[in-house]
Amino acid sequence: MIDRLLSRPLLIAVLAVGMGSGIDAIVKGAAPAAGLMHLVAWRFLFGALLALAVFLWQRRPMPPWEAIRFHTLRGALQLVGAILFFFALTRLALAEATIIGFTAALMVPFVAQFVLGEFVSARAFLITLVGFAGAAFAISGGGEGVPGDGRWLGLAACLASAAIYAVILVLLRLRALREDATTIALFTNAVPALCMAPVLFGMAGPVNVGDLPVFGLLGMLGYSVWFLMTLAYARAKAQLLAPLEYTALIWSALFGIVFFAEMPGWRVWAGAVLIIGACLAIAFENHFETRRQTGQPVSDLPD
């Protein structure tokens, strides 16, 4: 059965996206009682232990000092983004937070322009405006989150998290061809765990031992999502798999309805259509522009 699953990359990708949405649902349910800082610290600790075990088992060499400094910076950004997004989950409906998270894809071209000097066309800029208009429309209905200031704090935190995630994606492009995925996964989990060491040692108060299984589950799921997506992208074209990440909205809506009685309104779905359409248009715009610059035919899909 496992061999049959591994031969179906589309199914693997959908499963990984569903597990990622499951993490969001667990965080939303557990964070208020367990404490946000405890949840973040222990989630990354368990993820780091698992990532370290895989790193040692595969006998990966330690990267050079230059790479360690780079991944330390990226890991610190990962921690800030995670804290902001986990906080947003306690203030917003799952589907709403997922939609705002999609805007990270709209920000990537502009971050890449600033960091890598990549060109952003006027068409891409207009498409981005449409996408953000969709996000604004999706949240205009009031949502199912905490009313008043709590909701707006959640929206601000979620948008800031998306911006940080866009920066992380661009930074990964700088090292993706130099480091293997196992090494990247180790630093992704270990650096945040080390930064949160004061919390692990009681600075935020004693941890509830009864919450440790939940924290361990979050660490295991977080690493599993990365592992499954790596398997999927190794077996199918990125152009085919990337749109499947937007199934996160379906998963989030389902988990929100079942576990939190959150029923997304029509504005949420309409806004999602605009955002997802803009994200896909940006992706194809960048793909076609790259092929034009290199003299390749624009109609062929990449490997």
Side-chain angles (χ1 to χ4, degrees):
M1 182 176 179
I2 294 179
D3 292 339
R4 185 180 301 176
L5 174 64
L6 294 179
S7 66
R8 299 181 179 180
L10 298 183
L11 182 59
I12 294 175
V14 171
L15 178 60
V17 173
M19 292 173 66
S21 298
I23 291 175
D24 297 344
I26 294 173
V27 169
K28 182 177 178 65
L36 181 62
M37 291 298 104
H38 278 136
L39 187 148
V40 172
W42 287 91
R43 172 261 179 269
F44 278 113
L45 175 63
F46 283 115
L49 293 175
L50 182 56
L52 178 61
V54 175
F55 182 85
L56 295 176
W57 176 64
Q58 294 185 352
R59 297 182 179 180
R60 299 293 185 186
M62 185 60 65
W65 177 242
E66 173 199 1
I68 292 175
R69 286 184 299 175
F70 176 87
H71 288 304
T72 299
L73 170 62
R74 185 182 57 80
L77 288 174
Q78 181 88 19
L79 173 61
V80 175
I83 291 175
L84 288 170
F85 188 70
F86 287 175
F87 171 79
L89 287 172
T90 66
R91 297 293 188 272
L92 303 174
L94 280 174
E96 194 173 41
T98 299
I99 287 177
I100 299 175
F102 287 162
T103 61
L106 299 176
M107 302 179 195
V108 165
F110 301 94
V111 176
Q113 181 184 39
F114 180 77
V115 176
L116 305 177
E118 295 183 357
F119 174 75
V120 178
S121 67
R123 182 187 304 172
F125 180 76
L126 292 176
I127 294 172
T128 301
L129 291 181
V130 172
F132 278 106
F137 187 76
I139 67 176
S140 64
E144 299 287 340
V146 175
D149 293 340
R151 169 176 160 76
W152 289 108
L153 284 174
L155 291 171
C158 199
L159 190 61
S161 174
I164 291 174
Y165 185 57
V167 173
I168 291 172
L169 288 176
V170 173
L171 291 179
L172 277 176
R173 288 172 58 182
L174 294 174
R175 303 294 308 191
L177 298 179
R178 306 185 199 181
E179 261 88 55
D180 59 275
T182 302
T183 302
I184 292 174
L186 175 62
F187 281 92
T188 297
N189 288 275
V191 171
L194 290 174
C195 292
M196 297 298 287
V199 175
L200 295 172
F201 285 102
M203 189 182 79
V207 65
N208 184 349
V209 177
D211 291 328
L212 292 181
V214 176
F215 299 157
L217 176 62
L218 286 172
M220 182 185 70
L221 287 175
Y223 190 86
S224 297
V225 169
W226 164 84
F227 179 75
L228 289 174
M229 291 303 289
T230 301
L231 284 179
Y233 276 90
R235 289 164 169 78
K237 295 179 179 180
Q239 197 86 355
L240 182 63
L241 294 176
L244 295 178
E245 297 194 23
Y246 296 111
T247 61
L249 178 58
I250 299 174
W251 287 106
S252 295
L254 179 62
F255 290 143
I257 292 171
V258 173
F259 297 109
F260 305 103
E262 299 172 347
M263 183 63 69
W266 71 273
R267 289 175 182 266
V268 171
W269 296 107
V273 170
L274 289 175
I275 295 174
I276 294 173
C279 290
L280 294 176
I282 286 287
F284 280 103
E285 168 75 11
N286 292 339
H287 163 61
F288 291 154
E289 184 62 31
T290 299
R291 294 181 75 86
R292 289 191 193 98
Q293 292 174 359
T294 56
Q296 302 178 63
V298 299
S299 58
D300 295 334
L301 291 176
D303 293 331

